[in-house]
Every structure is written in C-alpha cells, then in structure tokens.
C-alpha cells in the first residue's frame, strides 16, 4: 500500500499514477456522486403485529403520501411519522380517516388536529359541552418544518379484508379566509376538499420527509426509554399498575 502523506493532492495524485492508473478517480468523483443523491421523500410507516404500538414489526417502509392500506383481518397498530415543509401565508388543513380503527389520532407540530376513539367528540353530546378541540387548520408561524405523528389501533374486526387510514393535507392562502377542518374529529372539510373529492396536491409529495427533526427524534427516544416496565401509568386510576409498552 501507499503510506499517508502531507503533500498537496495534485502532487500525490501524479506520484500515484506511476504506481496505479486510477487511484485518484474515486476522490475526484465522490463529491459529484454525493450531489446526485436526492433527499428521501414521503413518511415513515411502521406496522406492529399487536395493538400496543410496540414489539414485533410487520411492515417498515416509506410511503409517498399519508394514505395506507393494510390487512385488517388481524389486530395491528401502526404509526406514520415524518416532517412536512410548509410555507408562510398559507393555512394547512388536515382531514383524517381512520377506517374501522378503534383508536386513531394525528399530531402536527404538537397540535392535535383530529382523532377517533378515546376522548373523541362523540354525539349526541351537544357541541357546547364537548371537551375536545382541534387545532385545525394550522397557520404557519415561526417554524416551517412541522413534525407529523399518526397513530392507529385496529382490533381486526373490519368488515373487509383490508382497511385504509391516513390524512389528507391541503392548503389555502391565509388571506382567503379560514377553511373548516375536515375528517374524523375535525369538523366539516368538504368545501375545502372540493366536495369531498380525494384530490392529489402537486406540492405535497415534495414537502414530506420520513425523518423527524432531531429534537423530536431525541424526545421519542427518551420517551421509549422511560415508558418501560410496571408503574401506575394509567392516569384514570393511580391504584392500577400497567406494564409498558405492552399495556
């Protein structure tokens, strides 16, 4: 082999060409190959073989859009995570659909935009006494990179062999008024979605990234470390012990 040297690169390159014909080419083409690599788009999907959102993973992949179909004949739980890049002067609306899931919720930049199941705003309770409110639509303030977290829990009792879940993300100029939120738990969104039509937004695919911001990833890792073992995790009764993450 050739010993390390502190000589300038062009001098070293000329010297090594006398020994081997191509030793300098990988160094020259490395920056070009890195420039060709485009950032990964979409959201990260993880499906578990239980309803605990933990344990054995059935699926782990990147999906281009937040719209997932999965085998619903057996119990499962799933997460859909990533980051959406947003632009100022727009309002962003999130219209969620959870299919036959018994529990589902979506947080965007820490805001609950919709949910189904526990603590949901179910009828026939009058709207004036419903405790659940949703931050939907969302304006763009200081941050233009919003973390997205979708969670669903399915008991496998669907009337069909597959079930779909996800969130439709649309935007409108902020000066045009505040459109109503849509989907399960989000109010009426048909007007903003064009009469309920599943319209593909051209900007959306390029705005999604499967990676969470570093601070959010660190928070998830910390929560995973802390939420483990037997403890009074169940906030409805401090006399009951629950084992996490299985519980």
């Amino acid at each position: 082999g050739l010993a390390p040297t502190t000589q300038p690169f062009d001098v070293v390159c000329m010297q090594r060409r006398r020994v081997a014909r191509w030793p300098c080419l990988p160094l020259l083409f490395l920056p070009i190959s890195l420039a060709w690599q485009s950032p990964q788009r979409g959201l990260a999907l993880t499906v578990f073989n239980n309803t605990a959102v933990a344990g054995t993973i059935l699926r782990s992949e990147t999906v281009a859009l937040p719209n997932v179909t999965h085998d619903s004949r057996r119990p499962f739980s799933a997460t859909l995570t990533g980051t959406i890049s947003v632009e100022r002067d727009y309002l962003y609306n999130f219209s969620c659909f959870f299919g036959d899931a018994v529990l589902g919720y979506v947080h965007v930049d820490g805001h609950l935009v919709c949910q189904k199941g526990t603590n949901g705003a179910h009828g026939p309770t009058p709207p004036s006494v419903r405790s659940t409110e949703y931050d939907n639509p969302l304006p763009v303030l200081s941050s233009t990179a919003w973390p997205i977290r979708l969670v669903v829990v399915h008991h496998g009792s669907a009337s069909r062999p597959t079930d779909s879940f996800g969130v439709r993300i649309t935007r409108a100029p902020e000066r045009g008024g505040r459109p109503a939120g849509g989907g399960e738990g989000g109010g009426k969104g048909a007007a903003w979605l064009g009469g309920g039509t599943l319209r593909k937004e051209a900007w959306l695919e390029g705005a999604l990234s499967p990676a969470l911001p570093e601070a959010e990833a660190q928070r998830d890792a910390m929560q995973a470390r802390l939420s483990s073992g037997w403890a009074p995790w169940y906030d409805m009764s401090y006399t009951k012990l629950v084992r996490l993450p299985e519980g």
Side-chain angles (χ1 to χ4, degrees):
L2 297 173
T5 178
T6 57
Q7 299 182 60
F9 175 78
D10 55 345
V11 175
V12 175
C13 190
M14 292 301 295
Q15 292 176 346
R16 293 185 178 181
R17 280 181 180 173
R18 300 169 187 170
V19 180
R21 184 175 179 84
W22 308 108
C24 299
L25 291 180
L27 296 176
L28 295 175
F29 283 94
L30 180 60
I32 299 176
S33 63
L34 291 177
W36 287 341
Q37 296 178 1
S38 59
Q40 193 173 13
R41 299 300 183 186
L43 294 177
L45 170 68
T46 305
V47 181
F48 302 90
N49 71 339
N50 53 60
T51 58
V53 201
T56 303
I57 296 176
L58 293 177
R59 291 174 64 183
S60 180
E61 60 190 77
T62 299
V63 295
L65 292 171
N67 184 359
V68 178
T69 300
H70 187 70
D71 186 346
S72 59
R73 291 171 293 184
R74 297 181 179 180
F76 72 91
S77 56
T79 63
L80 200 57
T81 60
T83 302
I84 178 172
S85 298
V86 294
E87 298 181 31
R88 303 190 193 282
D89 299 325
Y90 280 95
L91 286 171
Y92 288 78
N93 184 76
F94 304 88
S95 178
C96 307
F97 52 100
F98 300 113
D100 289 335
V102 294
L103 175 66
Y105 52 87
V106 178
H107 286 91
V108 178
D109 197 29
H111 299 267
L112 178 65
V113 297
C114 50
Q115 67 173 335
K116 174 185 179 181
T118 305
N119 297 327
H122 302 290
T125 307
S128 60
V129 298
R130 295 180 187 176
S131 60
T132 303
E133 295 292 338
Y134 302 94
D135 298 334
N136 195 8
L138 287 176
V140 181
L141 300 178
S142 59
S143 175
T144 56
W146 292 350
I148 297 179
R149 290 183 174 86
L150 179 149
V151 176
V152 294
V153 175
H154 209 295
H155 280 175
S157 57
S159 57
R160 48 191 180 273
T162 61
D163 202 7
S164 298
F165 58 88
V167 54
R168 303 180 185 95
I169 306 174
T170 52
R171 67 182 184 180
E174 191 168 9
R175 294 181 181 179
R178 297 180 64 86
E184 298 183 65
K188 298 178 180 179
W192 206 21
L193 293 173
T197 302
L198 232 180
R199 188 177 59 196
K200 182 177 180 180
E201 298 287 338
W203 59 271
L204 183 57
E205 286 192 36
L208 297 175
S209 168
L212 286 168
E214 183 178 358
E216 296 291 325
Q218 291 177 353
R219 183 174 71 171
D220 285 357
M222 181 186 67
Q223 289 178 335
R225 291 194 305 269
L226 295 177
S227 57
S228 177
W230 290 97
W233 302 108
Y234 183 48
D235 59 0
M236 301 299 291
S237 173
Y238 291 109
T239 63
K240 295 181 179 180
L241 297 180
V242 177
R243 179 182 172 86
L244 293 182
E246 296 85 351

